[in-house]
Amino acid sequence: MSESFVKDPEAVLDYLFDWSEWLAADGDTITDHTVTVSTGLTLASSTRTTTAVTVWLSGGTLGQQYTVDCRITTTLGRTASRKMTFLIQDR
């Protein structure tokens, strides 16, 4: 299940993919991440800690919907992916 957000096309904001609960069960941590963004939405940057990935997004076209996919690799060799959906509206 993906989280859904409304984003203004002029806004440049940060969004958090928080993996802390899932990772804590085994004492696992994030070692690498990849973020993929639908064409038309701009990934300004992404950073990670041992338990979360933060993405900074800008742009988008009014009325359009976009998906952001965050894929991580962990110290235990697991890979996982989570998605966020963004509807672009004036706010």
Side-chain angles (χ1 to χ4, degrees), residues 31-43:
T31 58
D32 196 17
H33 77 284
T34 304
V35 178
T36 306
V37 179
S38 298
T39 301
L41 190 63
T42 300
L43 175 65

Side-chain angles (χ1 to χ4, degrees), residues 29 35 38 49-50 74 81 85 89 91:
T29 60
V35 178
S38 298
T49 65
T50 58
T74 73
S81 177
T85 303
Q89 293 181 343
R91 301 226 18 160

